[in-house]
Amino acid sequence: MGPMRVLVVTPWFPSERAPGSGVFNLRDARLIAEYHDVTVLHLIRPEHASDTETDPEDLRVIRVPYSFERPWTILPAARRVRRLLRDFDVVHSMAFPGLLPVRLARPRVPWLHTEHYSQLVTPPSSPRMALSLAVLKPLFRRPTRTIAVSRALAAVIDRYRRSPTRVIGNEVMMPVEPLPPRPDALSDGAAVRLIGVGTLIERKGPVTAVETMVELRSRGVDASLTWVGGGPLADQMRAAAERAGAGGSLRLTGHLDPDALSRELSTADLFLLPVETETFGVAIAEAFAHGLPVVTTGSGGHVEFLPAEASRLVQSRSALPLADAVQELCSAPDLWSRDRISAYARDRFSHEARAEAYRAAYAGLE
């Protein structure tokens, strides 16, 4: 199979005003560009559009305003997809909101779709969301081939398809520098440096993470929490820490570039994410890649790769059981070493395996 001209169409992609959005789609586009000619059509939310975008040097990016919540943007986006497809061999949509404009464009070329959308594996958050899902899920019948980042997502998609969905996990960032040795956290009153990564929204549980840090400190543990990511709950997190007299033990970094994030993970002792659901769980996988034991909650793709020797999955998203799990995991006699946790992640999430899986997904599409 020779190189093909691929138009990636996605509503989730990094931009100047939302640098953390859809990083996984950027990574997938780069992976596909290793063996095909890729252009990205970013269906950017109108409020995120900027006249001063700095696009990746290794990809061509076109941006068109689009939001499913703004119906007047749907048809113009679909028309742009249709015009662009005259010059491409394959269209590859990424993420659920991208299905509609591609379907309305009526592509005459093979169509791949990669799915990440968490709302597909959780109860609808509102009646409006339930209606939107009911209307749009049948669109999964249309792509030539479908890809999901977890088995849970694949099961949802396959209800609408005759051919099975391929499961290809997200790209996982490996450490940019050698990992330092991990001290015996919590032993003899040693400090434990907790870290969480994700947008500061309720679904990710950042306030609960602060409360867990506070609970550990109330038990005599010298615990601190660093959280990487931005969002609307930053003030609430700071307030929760200040009320408990632990304001100096909380650090909010905001969004970080990959190298800076890798350094933060490398200097932490344990990854804490009281999440509601994850379609794959990139942040959790990257914590493992950096040799961190993980305490987490919720349902979704991450439960498929949590080794008992390096993690605890807590049923309740509340501080007391989470603090119990942190203490129990850090003192577990069979806890894997930092190097062994990292080796597990390298084997499980190798770039080579993902590249081969995507080559197979594209095979025979000419």
Side-chain angles (χ1 to χ4, degrees):
M1 178 182 65
M4 293 185 287
R5 298 167 300 172
V6 178
L7 180 66
V8 168
V9 180
T10 179
W12 300 346
F13 200 77
S15 64
E16 181 177 312
R17 294 179 179 171
S21 175
V23 172
F24 40 81
N25 288 329
L26 169 61
R27 293 172 178 174
D28 279 357
R30 283 175 166 157
L31 183 151
I32 297 164
E34 292 177 9
Y35 46 94
H36 293 300
D37 182 12
V38 172
T39 296
V40 177
L41 176 61
H42 180 193
L43 302 175
I44 189 169
R45 294 185 66 88
E47 64 270 26
H48 291 166
S50 170
D51 294 331
T52 59
E53 291 290 351
T54 302
D55 293 324
E57 294 182 358
D58 55 341
L59 287 172
R60 293 184 297 276
V61 181
I62 302 168
R63 300 183 193 268
V64 174
Y66 168 80
S67 172
F68 185 71
E69 292 84 14
R70 295 169 175 82
W72 57 90
T73 67
I74 296 174
L75 286 178
R79 286 194 289 267
R80 188 65 179 274
V81 174
R82 185 183 302 119
R83 288 195 299 271
L84 286 170
L85 283 180
R86 298 169 186 164
D87 299 319
F88 288 87
D89 304 309
V90 175
V91 60
H92 191 150
S93 52
M94 296 181 181
F96 191 64
L99 282 168
L100 183 58
V102 176
R103 173 65 185 117
L104 292 174
R106 298 186 178 276
R108 297 182 181 180
V109 298
W111 175 7
L112 279 76
H113 178 76
T114 297
E115 191 52 75
H116 305 264
Y117 195 39
S118 63
Q119 289 288 335
L120 293 169
V121 292
T122 57
S125 57
S126 67
R128 180 180 178 182
M129 177 60 70
L131 178 60
S132 298
L133 291 174
V135 170
L136 294 178
K137 279 181 180 179
L139 292 178
F140 283 128
R141 299 190 182 103
R142 300 297 181 174
T144 310
R145 293 174 185 169
T146 50
I147 299 163
V149 297
S150 68
R151 289 193 294 269
L153 268 178
V156 173
I157 296 169
D158 283 346
R159 295 171 194 164
Y160 300 90
R161 295 187 57 79
R162 294 180 180 179
S163 58
T165 297
R166 301 164 187 252
V167 177
I168 306 175
N170 288 121
E171 181 83 6
V172 174
M173 176 184 63
M174 296 297 158
V176 298
E177 298 174 353
L179 294 175
R182 184 184 67 224
D184 294 329
L186 300 188
S187 63
D188 300 324
V192 57
R193 297 164 295 184
L194 306 173
I195 188 169
V197 178
T199 307
L200 300 181
I201 55 176
E202 198 284 328
R203 182 172 67 84
K204 295 291 185 178
V207 177
T208 303
V210 174
E211 294 167 348
T212 302
M213 180 266 288
V214 168
E215 173 61 25
L216 286 167
R217 293 183 66 82
S218 75
R219 300 178 184 186
V221 178
D222 183 11
S224 61
L225 173 65
T226 295
W227 193 283
V228 179
L233 295 183
D235 288 344
Q236 192 172 336
M237 294 174 71
R238 294 188 184 97
E242 292 290 348
R243 284 196 301 271
S249 298
L250 172 66
R251 186 165 68 95
L252 304 182
T253 71
H255 174 76
L256 295 178
D257 65 45
D259 286 359
L261 170 58
S262 180
R263 286 189 286 270
E264 291 289 348
L265 289 169
S266 294
T267 58
D269 298 317
L270 183 139
F271 187 84
L272 175 65
L273 191 70
V275 70
E276 179 183 5
T277 186
E278 290 282 359
T279 50
F280 173 72
V282 172
I284 296 170
E286 291 181 344
F288 284 139
H290 288 75
L292 295 181
V294 168
V295 172
T296 188
T297 58
S299 60
H302 62 301
V303 304
E304 299 171 14
F305 60 78
L306 295 177
E309 299 85 354
S311 64
R312 293 294 182 269
L313 181 64
V314 180
Q315 297 304 310
S316 173
R317 296 177 70 209
S318 53
L320 292 179
L322 283 164
D324 290 342
V326 170
Q327 290 186 292
E328 191 274 326
L329 178 59
C330 286
S331 61
D334 60 346
L335 176 64
W336 284 349
S337 69
R338 186 163 203 150
D339 286 344
R340 187 170 180 184
I341 297 173
S342 183
Y344 162 81
R346 287 196 303 272
D347 291 341
R348 176 97 190 200
F349 309 117
S350 77
H351 177 84
E352 293 75 18
R354 295 186 70 254
E356 180 55 38
Y358 263 108
R359 278 193 289 269
Y362 271 78
L365 289 179
E366 298 97 326

